[in-house]
Structures are given as C-alpha cells and as structure tokens.
Amino acid sequence: MNLKLAIYTIDVKHKHKKDKITFENAYKSISVHPLSKEDYYKDFIAKYIQSFDGKFTSSDENSKSITTDNLKFIVTENIIYGMIKGGQTNVEIDIFEAKNNGTPIGKISRDHIAAQPYFFLLYTPYDKSYGILMIQYYSIASVTTSFKSNLHDFFRTHELTLSMYPFVPEKQKKEYLKRSIVNKVSLSKVVQDNSVRSKFNPLILEEDSYEVVIEFRKIKQNPEKLISRIKDSVSKKKKIIGADLSDFGINDSSDYNLKVFYENEDGKRSHSSIKNDFDVLPTIDLPEKLKEFGKDSPDLEKTKAYCFTLLEVVKKEIM
C-alpha cells in the first residue's frame, strides 16, 4: 500500500461575496470577541477541533467518517498539522481469515468504522488571501473528500465560503511528463443546435442536447511536442485538426474541449485539457521511507519534515 499526497491551494470569501479575504478577516469572522493576532489563530484551531465534539463526522454521502487524532500547531506560522483517522462507515462488512473463506470471524457493523491514520497540513497565513492544504492518502484508501467536506462545513457555519484548487509543484509535473507518452486525445462538445442534431436522426431523437466525443486512441505521442503543436495552431488561429468536423457542430478550437491523456512507464495516468492550458496534475507519490517502521501508515515526524519542505516550494510557486 503506497502513500500518496493531495495538495490544494485555498481561499476564503464572505458568504455571497465575490472578493477573496485575508485569513485575518476569516479568523475575525470565526471569533466572537476581539483578540490578538496569535489568539485569533488559537481560537480558530480550538473551534475547529471542538467541531468534531470527540466524535467521527460523516461526509455528505455518509459513507466515510473522520475525526482528529494527534494534532499539533505552530501559532507563529499559522500551521496546523498532524494525524486524523477515518474510514468506511454506515456499511456492514464481514471479517475473514486470509486463508479461510468459510465462516466469518467477526463483523464491522454500520455503527463501526474501520479507521486508518492520515497525515494532513493546513497553512492559513494571517495576512494572505491564499492558503495551502495537504492531505495524505493511500493507493487503496482515502478520506480526502470527507476531510475537504468537513473543512468546507466548518467555514460555512461561520458564514464563510472556502474554495479549493488542486495543485502539483512544477518539479513533479516535469518529472511525470518526461517519463510519459500521450496515448489518447479526445475532442468533446455539447450539441444543442437543431441543424446539427438533425444530422444524426434517426439514431438520436428528441434530445434537447447531447455530447459528441471524438477520440484518438492507441497513439504514442511525445507530450511536449504534441502540446507545442496544438498551442502553435491555436496561437496562429489554425485548425488543430484538418478534417471537416462541421457536421458535429465543431468549427474551430473554441467550439470544443480538447483533452490529452498521459501514461508513464509505471502505468500512472493523468490528463490535461485546452481549457486549463494543458496543466497536468499527476498523482504525487510519497517516498516509502516516510512510513512508520513495520507499518504502511505514515510516520508523523518524517512526513511532517517532508511536507514542510514541500510547503516552502508550493509557497514560492503560488506567490
């Protein structure tokens, strides 16, 4: 079971407002009374921990739950990090011995949780309008969605809207692309024009709209060269594809979304699209040495040191 890491940049707004606010203003919205700079952060942390009320909290779909475990914080740097634990809930699971598929030796009921430890780090600088969230997960298990949902809910209770954006440092992107090929390219467009839809009768009838997808599979293209050709065609307002696609309602590159799919030599897959300027976001693998001795779970201090170093890299890239 391998360790993985998800990184998000985050920002906060007052509910129903468009402008981002600094975390100073967010802390003041969370606290009832005026406090010092450090006490605002302490109050934010205290209220967040209290929101768990010593229990596991469920995600929206009520399939996974999380709770706090071993949390630490650095007030002067506005960083909270440590371990949470969580896992599958609201489902009955039989437990068997690995070498005997006969009689179950136990059962996990709907009220039980098969919990695993997860590392996280949350950086919310006092005078900035951006923050950084890191959540560790496993190759076969994750509570990332539940953790994000819980954090969203916490800010929402204080009339604040939290937004998150996936992020991968440039070094990891370049390393992934260097070892990858493009094995599929797709073009897609939602068709709503009557004159276009009528061309596909009688196969498609009485649909208000549908999506047309054209795929090129089993290709082996160099990512850098392919993206360069696409961007060059777009900048010169040339067709990316010479074929006439007007029957599909596709007339130029602004008419469709183009996605590029990658796979590296380890079988790790990712994709990017023309809508996000082909910004690829591959999975971040954590080194095996970060595992606790004799276990598959992360060692708190080792993972902390690794993520603190990575935090400085992310801070430089997003500033």
Side-chain angles (χ1 to χ4, degrees):
M1 187 163 61
N2 300 322
L3 302 181
K4 310 282 185 178
L5 186 69
I7 303 176
Y8 300 89
T9 59
I10 63 175
D11 61 52
V12 182
K13 302 171 187 173
H14 286 298
K15 190 176 181 180
H16 304 309
K17 300 292 184 180
K18 294 182 179 180
D19 294 333
K20 301 174 187 177
I21 61 173
T22 63
F23 280 97
E24 173 187 1
N25 289 323
Y27 298 152
K28 290 178 179 178
S29 296
I30 293 169
S31 298
V32 178
H33 305 291
L35 299 169
S36 67
K37 179 178 178 179
E38 290 190 353
D39 285 340
Y40 269 127
Y41 186 68
K42 289 179 181 178
D43 191 50
F44 161 66
I45 296 301
K47 283 185 167 62
Y48 179 62
I49 294 173
Q50 289 167 9
S51 69
F52 288 90
D53 195 26
K55 304 174 184 176
F56 282 87
T57 65
S58 297
S59 56
D60 290 338
E61 67 273 14
N62 201 33
S63 62
K64 292 183 179 179
S65 294
I66 61 168
T67 192
T68 56
D69 188 10
N70 182 10
L71 303 188
K72 302 176 183 293
F73 51 91
I74 305 173
V75 175
T76 55
E77 297 183 39
N78 294 87
I79 293 175
I80 179 172
Y81 70 95
M83 307 301 289
I84 57 171
K85 53 189 175 185
Q88 194 79 27
T89 187
N90 201 35
V91 62
E92 289 189 0
I93 301 174
D94 289 329
I95 303 172
F96 293 86
E97 291 183 353
K99 296 181 180 180
N100 186 350
N101 65 356
T103 304
I105 60 173
K107 182 186 290 288
I108 298 177
S109 73
R110 290 181 179 273
D111 296 326
H112 294 160
I113 295 171
Q116 291 176 284
Y118 296 83
F119 177 88
F120 85 98
L121 182 155
L122 178 63
Y123 169 65
T124 51
Y126 192 78
D127 58 348
K128 303 292 184 183
S129 59
Y130 71 86
I132 298 166
L133 171 65
M134 298 184 182
I135 313 172
Q136 171 265 321
Y137 63 103
Y138 303 93
S139 53
I140 61 171
S142 170
V143 292
T144 302
T145 299
S146 298
F147 186 92
K148 290 164 56 183
S149 177
N150 172 270
L151 200 58
H152 276 293
D153 289 345
F154 173 75
F155 278 88
R156 193 178 297 118
T157 60
H158 297 283
E159 300 296 307
L160 297 167
T161 301
L162 180 69
S163 299
M164 301 187 185
Y165 312 92
F167 183 89
V168 175
E170 288 300 318
K171 180 181 177 182
Q172 279 84 351
K173 291 180 188 177
K174 290 178 180 177
E175 288 177 350
Y176 175 77
L177 291 174
K178 192 179 295 184
R179 300 171 54 221
S180 300
I181 61 165
V182 173
N183 60 8
K184 183 172 73 172
V185 176
S186 75
L187 291 74
S188 63
K189 178 178 180 176
V190 175
V191 177
Q192 295 175 310
D193 187 287
N194 286 331
S195 62
V196 174
R197 285 184 294 156
S198 64
K199 295 176 182 178
F200 299 97
N201 293 341
L203 178 64
I204 306 295
L205 294 173
E206 299 176 357
E207 296 286 348
D208 291 332
S209 66
Y210 52 84
E211 185 177 23
V212 171
V213 180
I214 301 172
E215 289 188 346
F216 301 88
R217 300 179 180 177
K218 297 182 179 181
I219 59 178
K220 294 181 180 180
Q221 295 282 309
N222 177 282
E224 185 178 352
K225 291 180 180 179
L226 175 65
I227 300 302
S228 178
R229 291 199 303 271
I230 293 172
K231 288 185 175 182
D232 183 62
S233 295
V234 172
S235 66
K236 295 177 180 178
K237 296 183 179 180
K238 294 181 178 180
K239 283 186 175 183
I240 296 174
I241 296 176
D244 183 4
L245 302 177
S246 59
D247 278 351
F248 298 96
I250 297 173
N251 297 303
D252 57 58
S253 59
S254 63
D255 273 347
Y256 57 85
N257 186 28
L258 188 149
K259 287 186 178 181
V260 176
F261 296 81
Y262 312 87
E263 184 172 352
N264 72 2
E265 56 199 30
D266 298 324
K268 187 195 297 185
R269 298 175 180 178
S270 189
H271 70 272
S272 64
S273 76
I274 196 169
K275 288 186 175 180
N276 66 1
D277 198 33
F278 297 106
D279 185 25
V280 64
L281 299 171
T283 302
I284 301 174
D285 295 310
L286 293 177
E288 284 286 312
K289 65 182 180 181
L290 299 186
K291 287 184 178 180
E292 195 172 354
F293 180 75
K295 299 182 180 180
D296 282 325
S297 54
D299 180 274
L300 175 58
E301 291 305 317
K302 291 178 182 177
T303 309
K304 169 209 166 184
Y306 182 91
C307 288
F308 270 50
T309 300
L310 190 58
L311 177 64
E312 294 306 310
V313 173
V314 177
K315 284 161 65 173
K316 288 179 181 178
E317 289 191 18
I318 66 176
M319 286 181 67

